[in-house]
Amino acid sequence: MLIDGLVLTPASGDAAPASLGLVDRVMERHRVRTLMGDTLYTNFKPARWAYPLAQRGIRQGLPLGKSHHGTMDVKGATLFHGWLHCPSATIETFPSMPGPTASKEEWEKVTDEVDEFQQRFAFTRKESGLG
């Protein structure tokens, strides 16, 4: 299911609490492990969005604009797909996602490739959540 809920907030409203409420409602019905959001969520302060997601056990994938070429430097580490990586990791070496008509086997293969990539390049968090 692509859409499980919808929340509308006025342009002058605060989208963080409304969005977290939607996440909680969706989590009552589905197991959520990763959440991709648009640039609005990237701009929230971590205490308002990233920390609450981490406390719920959700990894956040942050979109990065064209000017970042898919990655962003964070004090020498490379940030992409919402996770810090070794500077030698590049977006070009990250496994490509299969298309919408891909088979279950193709998705499983890419999932294994992503796991291997993360084992090689992703930094390990040393404490639970973002505490």
Side-chain angles (χ1 to χ4, degrees), residues 62-113:
L62 301 176
L64 299 170
K66 291 179 182 178
S67 63
H68 297 121
H69 305 290
T71 65
M72 182 182 296
D73 178 78
V74 179
K75 297 183 180 180
T78 302
L79 174 73
F80 61 93
H81 293 284
W83 203 269
L84 290 173
H85 291 75
C86 171
S88 64
T90 64
I91 199 72
E92 291 80 19
T93 59
F94 191 80
S96 297
M97 296 296 112
T101 59
S103 67
K104 181 180 175 183
E105 290 78 20
E106 289 174 290
W107 276 105
E108 288 173 354
K109 180 178 182 260
V110 168
T111 300
D112 292 342
E113 290 171 356

Side-chain angles (χ1 to χ4, degrees), residues 10-130:
S12 61
D14 187 355
S19 298
L20 288 170
L22 176 62
V23 167
D24 290 337
R25 289 192 304 277
V26 170
M27 288 181 68
E28 290 174 3
R29 295 182 300 281
H30 306 285
R31 182 174 176 213
V32 178
R33 292 183 287 196
T34 304
L35 184 89
M36 300 299 289
D38 66 12
T39 310
L40 168 71
Y41 300 100
T42 305
N43 293 330
F44 282 146
K45 291 186 176 182
R48 300 192 61 241
W49 185 248
Y51 294 168
L53 289 179
Q55 291 168 340
R56 289 164 171 79
I58 299 173
R59 291 180 294 175
Q60 179 181 198
L62 301 176
L64 299 170
K66 291 179 182 178
S67 63
H68 297 121
H69 305 290
T71 65
M72 182 182 296
D73 178 78
V74 179
K75 297 183 180 180
T78 302
L79 174 73
F80 61 93
H81 293 284
W83 203 269
L84 290 173
H85 291 75
C86 171
S88 64
T90 64
I91 199 72
E92 291 80 19
T93 59
F94 191 80
S96 297
M97 296 296 112
T101 59
S103 67
K104 181 180 175 183
E105 290 78 20
E106 289 174 290
W107 276 105
E108 288 173 354
K109 180 178 182 260
V110 168
T111 300
D112 292 342
E113 290 171 356
V114 169
D115 287 344
E116 180 182 327
F117 181 88
Q118 289 180 329
Q119 287 174 5
R120 289 184 63 204
F121 296 111
F123 290 171
T124 303
R125 291 185 175 145
K126 297 298 182 187
E127 57 188 52
S128 63
L130 296 175

